[in-house]
Amino acid sequence: VLQAVRSATDSVSFRLKLSLEQQDGEVHFIKLRPEPISVHNIASLILVSTLRSSPLHSLYLSVKDVYGPLLLNNKSMDGRMQTLLAELQAGLSAAVGHASGAEAVSDEQTASISSPADEFAFWHQLSSRRDVDKNLGKRARVFAEKLVSLGADFSLLEDKSLSQLYDAIDNTQAALSAVWKVLDVDPYPAK
């Protein structure tokens, strides 16, 4: 593995050993087979991977947005492997969203939210945790309660009829309006 790291001053350094230093961005070049690299085989011999945030967060996003959908929709994949992949994705999601003793929701936690289902799961998981600040826990419970009804509306959107989609839009507007009107906890984070 060759690690290329960009520093805050926009200089790039190369390393043959991986380092866990927090940097602005990294690119990893991974040689897949022990053969000499040539102009003809470089595209099939080198795997390129990027790392923009923490390794855990990057792994979660890669599994969730790239490898998970590709492998879980593969009909020839063994059912046990699909189960393991789903469990890995759920475990990574929980680890990325973990904020032990947190008093506020951090950008790192919300960076893993890329779909409505992620949003619903985030507030639900946060509301059920006992190791967060009392005010944050109350806030999470209120938001989770207001958003829980949307889970069914957003599951399998591609299978819904047009009238079901209109209903989902109406339900979403009502739920988000209810969330925005909550006054007894800190406002819903808008980013």
Side-chain angles (χ1 to χ4, degrees):
V1 175
L2 175 64
Q3 180 183 36
V5 180
R6 187 183 85 192
S7 70
T9 60
D10 282 337
S11 64
V12 177
S13 61
F14 294 92
R15 302 177 184 141
L16 293 175
K17 286 188 168 189
L18 294 178
S19 169
L20 289 176
E21 297 172 29
Q22 190 65 27
Q23 303 291 338
D24 271 354
E26 297 180 18
V27 178
H28 302 114
F29 300 93
I30 304 163
K31 191 173 179 184
L32 300 174
R33 293 180 302 279
E35 331 176 345
I37 299 171
S38 71
V39 173
H40 305 291
N41 70 0
I42 192 167
S44 63
L45 190 60
I46 303 296
L47 172 69
V48 179
S49 174
T50 60
L51 185 68
R52 290 292 306 160
S53 57
S54 74
L56 179 64
H57 187 251
S58 293
L59 177 61
Y60 167 69
L61 290 176
S62 292
V63 170
K64 178 183 163 287
D65 294 332
V66 179
Y67 299 107
L70 289 172
L71 295 172
L72 291 173
N73 292 327
N74 183 349
K75 302 294 184 217
S76 65
M77 187 175 194
D78 177 67
R80 171 91 171 113
M81 289 303 296
Q82 288 183 330
T83 301
L84 289 171
L85 183 60
E87 289 173 1
L88 172 64
Q89 188 171 328
L92 288 170
S93 174
V96 167
H98 194 275
S100 181
E103 295 181 14
V105 176
S106 70
D107 288 343
E108 173 104 3
Q109 291 174 289
T110 58
S112 64
I113 298 173
S114 61
S115 71
D118 293 341
E119 184 83 21
F120 310 147
F122 174 79
W123 290 110
H124 176 73
Q125 288 172 357
L126 195 59
S127 71
S128 63
R129 300 218 355 241
R130 302 287 178 236
D131 61 342
V132 295
D133 176 74
K134 183 176 84 172
N135 292 331
L136 179 57
K138 178 180 178 185
R139 180 179 181 212
R141 282 187 294 283
V142 169
F143 294 155
E145 177 186 304
K146 303 289 184 195
L147 296 172
V148 71
S149 64
L150 297 180
D153 287 332
F154 279 88
S155 67
L156 303 171
L157 279 176
E158 62 275 0
D159 294 336
K160 296 196 183 298
S161 68
L162 190 56
S163 65
Q164 289 173 317
L165 290 174
Y166 284 132
D167 290 342
I169 290 170
D170 290 340
N171 293 341
T172 301
Q173 288 175 327
L176 292 178
S177 179
V179 165
W180 282 105
K181 290 177 182 174
V182 172
L183 298 175
D184 57 337
V185 297
D186 288 339
Y188 189 81
K191 294 191 183 200

